[in-house]
Amino acid sequence: MIDHKKVRVRFAPSPTGPLHMGGVRTALYNYLFAKKHQGDFILRIEDTDQQRFVAGAEEYIIASLKWCGILPNEGVGFAEGPFSPYRQSERKDLYKTYVETLIRNGHAYYAFDTASSLDQLRKEREQQGSSFAYGPQNRHQLFNSLNMTAAEVLQRLNEGTPYVVRIKVPENDLIVVHDLIRGEVEMHTSQMDDKVLFKSDGMPTYHLANVVDDHLMEITHVIRGEEWLPSAPLHVLLYKSFGWESTMPKFAHLPLLLKPDGNGKLSKRDGDRLGFPVFPLNWTDPLTGEQSKGYKEQGYIPEAFVNMLAHLGWHAADDQEIYSMEALIEAFSLERVSKSGAKFDPDKTKWYNEVYLRSSTDQHLAMLFLPIVQEQLTKSIPSRHLCTSAGHLIDAESLLAYCNKAVALVKDKAQFINEFWDLCNYLFVAPITIDTTILAKKWKPPYETFFIKFADALSTLTSMEATQAEKLHTAIANDLALKPGEVMQLLRIMVSGQGSGVNLFEMIALLGGKESSTRIEQNLKKWLQTLSTDAAASRQ
Ligand code: GLU
């Protein structure tokens, strides 16, 4: 399949909105294929349709690829390469020459029909129960250069009459697309119409710009979504018309991403309905202000997201499901991409995340958790910040080291990084309330002395190991003839406010002696006050 030429593939999105998961998968397969064959992966922005341009979409595409680790060798937002520029609007002048070549060689022609005259024809045909297509059957009756003298054409062009350039589809030909996933896909030219290639505003249409750029950028394989398969015969025809058949790229049209029930194409609405994102990052529509959720902000690990995407349409030779990017590169092949649509499974996506979360290093998770902590800390009341450690928590580096220890305690309890904060915010911020229901149920008067003594002992310790805290706890309990276990949950409430959570003595060790001690003292006071208020109330 691969000949001697260096593999060059491209991801060529149009900046018409946020990048859908399907688009990220197309980029990923291109990337994997390029890396597998020591080739180049290019990002080209196809922005010739100015009417569909959406502000911020290009930046979104670039940021999404970066988050996923799908990094182009050349392209917009990445390294400038020898085929620069990579944004089609900046290549505008170049397409005109190519379209003129086609016209000169009789493969394309000027059409001056107005939109309203074509609409009228369409309506008439519909009324007659048929349809209208601008093509071999009727182009000779329409208002175009095929039916005019050269002088007439020139006159119209000089007068500035609006025009489009259309491809002249051959009358009786069979176009064959050799698709690496689907085999031979045929289309007879009688089923094709004379698509517009160029408009008088100087802009090429997608079809022309796409083919010219793939040729100029020496693209060897066009790997893209199935929705482009119907356009492929036209593209093949364009390669033939330009005389570029010998260097025509090979095609591979990827299967659709389907709804979880397999019933049709996966859409944003499915995500909204079933509660999963369809975009890699959060997106706010610049026109409507509508907000869409992204995998990143939902707490997904990019490697898990990429691993999941890789399996949507491609399957490995074995049953292995967990693949690093390097392993994917090694294992990937277009032969193992299926023709039929790939059902998206949101639960499987969560499963991937959990697997990655469990196997990620604490350092890595801490890096991802740090911005969440920073955001939360700025939101919370400053006086509630960790008191003892407040000094060393101010700078990001110390906070990162602290997060490192915190994630080690919490990661087994979560599926997502953004569950961390809810699970362990008491490691960063002293609790405002304490669980009095459990306290009321389990409280006995001698416990007061236990907590006073334990808080006292802790206050003198600047740093300690969890085992040290535990020993201290046992010793003080024994001295007071208490079983260490009976005050354990209550101690947890005094420190964290709640009856369950991360390992108790690890928590105390991480908070440090002074902070733990202050919390015990304050919460004990609060609790004793509650007790006496309750007692007074019951006496009345
Ligand atoms: N600009 C097209 C898109 O938005 C590219 C299709 C192709 O890869 O040829 O998907």
Side-chain angles (χ1 to χ4, degrees), residues 91-334:
R91 303 169 65 79
K92 191 178 151 195
D93 296 340
L94 169 157
Y95 306 111
K96 198 166 193 306
T97 332
Y98 287 94
V99 87
E100 277 164 1
T101 312
L102 288 183
I103 297 172
R104 244 195 338 272
N105 298 343
H107 292 301
Y109 59 91
Y110 293 104
F112 300 98
D113 318 78
T114 60
S116 62
S117 70
L118 294 178
D119 269 352
Q120 182 61 31
L121 278 170
R122 241 171 243 125
K123 274 196 202 115
E124 280 169 23
R125 290 291 168 93
E126 266 165 35
Q127 277 160 7
Q128 291 158 12
S130 65
S131 60
F132 170 79
Y134 207 120
Q137 297 86 351
N138 53 22
R139 63 187 169 218
H140 289 290
Q141 290 114 50
L142 292 161
F143 196 35
N144 57 50
S145 58
L146 299 175
N147 310 318
M148 295 174 185
T149 62
E152 280 170 334
V153 175
L154 201 62
Q155 190 193 340
R156 294 203 187 285
L157 293 178
N158 287 341
E159 282 167 356
T161 313
Y163 69 87
V164 294
V165 177
R166 291 179 179 273
I167 186 163
K168 191 176 170 207
V169 167
E171 271 171 43
N172 187 14
D173 202 355
L174 187 69
I175 308 292
V176 183
V177 180
H178 298 276
D179 189 282
L180 295 172
I181 298 170
R182 286 149 214 280
E184 290 195 347
V185 180
E186 296 179 345
M187 194 182 269
H188 195 270
T189 50
S190 60
Q191 294 169 275
M192 296 169 69
D193 55 354
D194 291 354
K195 282 266 181 306
V196 174
L197 301 177
F198 194 83
K199 298 189 207 138
S200 44
D201 65 0
M203 274 296 191
T205 60
Y206 152 71
H207 302 291
L208 178 77
N210 185 273
V211 165
V212 166
D213 282 346
D214 280 347
H215 172 74
L216 295 178
M217 295 182 180
E218 297 177 9
I219 298 303
T220 56
H221 298 77
V222 167
I223 305 171
R224 61 186 173 191
E226 183 180 317
E227 63 274 27
W228 299 105
L229 187 60
S231 303
L234 172 65
H235 297 176
V236 170
L237 188 59
L238 277 169
Y239 281 102
K240 282 187 173 178
S241 310
F242 279 119
W244 297 336
E245 251 182 307
S246 62
T247 55
M248 182 163 73
K250 297 195 164 68
F251 292 95
H253 289 90
L254 305 175
L256 286 179
L257 292 195
L258 303 177
K259 298 178 196 297
D261 63 8
N263 232 337
K265 199 172 154 184
L266 181 71
S267 71
K268 176 171 139 41
R269 243 175 296 130
D270 300 313
D272 293 344
R273 189 167 50 89
L274 300 167
F276 59 81
V278 295
F279 302 124
L281 313 178
N282 275 358
W283 166 258
T284 306
D285 189 297
L287 294 178
T288 63
E290 192 197 350
Q291 299 188 340
S292 305
K293 288 192 166 61
Y295 279 89
K296 178 183 176 202
E297 293 80 359
Q298 290 301 295
Y300 280 84
I301 298 175
E303 289 83 355
F305 176 66
V306 165
N307 197 151
M308 176 280 293
L309 269 188
H311 284 84
L312 283 181
W314 167 83
H315 60 279
D318 51 26
D319 288 339
Q320 193 184 321
E321 291 184 292
I322 303 301
Y323 280 85
S324 64
M325 192 68 106
E326 288 69 40
L328 282 173
I329 291 168
E330 183 63 34
F332 186 78
S333 76
L334 287 173

Side-chain angles (χ1 to χ4, degrees), residues 36-49:
K36 166 118 190 184
H37 299 288
Q38 289 85 43
D40 292 331
F41 168 55
I42 290 127
L43 174 65
R44 186 172 71 221
I45 297 291
E46 302 207 324
D47 58 347
T48 55
D49 191 347

Side-chain angles (χ1 to χ4, degrees), residues 39-86:
D40 292 331
F41 168 55
I42 290 127
L43 174 65
R44 186 172 71 221
I45 297 291
E46 302 207 324
D47 58 347
T48 55
D49 191 347
Q50 304 279 303
Q51 272 153 15
R52 295 182 62 222
F53 179 83
V54 173
E58 181 184 299
E59 292 76 5
Y60 182 94
I61 293 165
I62 295 166
S64 300
L65 294 181
K66 285 187 178 159
W67 180 67
C68 293
I70 305 171
L71 305 178
N73 302 75
E74 301 163 24
V76 179
F78 296 89
E80 285 295 318
F83 301 91
S84 174
Y86 296 92

